[in-house]
């Protein structure tokens, strides 16, 4: 008997099964007042990495996030409102 997980929509069609790629949080990285930085974690090599910046306060916040190998890089754009927050880094 096969093992794994399957989740179905109300109409009975599969929504998630063992062949679906699901995301996994690798790190939550605090971004302080500086304009740029980096974070290295071998977990970024285990899938396709992506990141999401969550500001600690309201307003327009522009943070560029990129990856190279096992390192996440971030930089605040020139017109970014000075802010702190977190980058949630995932792989899928």
């Amino acid at each position: 008997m096969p093992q794994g997980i399957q989740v179905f929509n109300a109409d009975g069609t599969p929504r998630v099964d063992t062949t679906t790629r699901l995301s996994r949080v690798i790190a939550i990285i605090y971004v302080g007042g500086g304009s740029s930085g980096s974070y290295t974690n071998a977990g970024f090599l285990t899938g396709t990495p992506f990141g999401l910046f969550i500001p600690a306060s309201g307003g327009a916040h522009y943070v560029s996030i990129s990856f190279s190998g096992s390192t996440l890089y971030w930089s605040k754009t020139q017109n970014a409102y000075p802010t702190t927050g977190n980058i949630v880094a995932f792989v899928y």
Side-chain angles (χ1 to χ4, degrees), residues 5-20:
I5 184 170
Q6 292 181 315
V7 179
F8 296 90
N9 292 320
D11 64 4
T13 58
R15 176 151 180 118
V16 176
D17 65 24
T18 55
T19 62
T20 302

Side-chain angles (χ1 to χ4, degrees), residues 5-6 14 18 20 27-28 32 34 38-39 51-52 58 69 81 83 88:
I5 184 170
Q6 292 181 315
T18 55
T20 302
I28 299 174
S38 65
Y39 176 82
L52 172 68
Y81 179 79
T83 188
V88 182

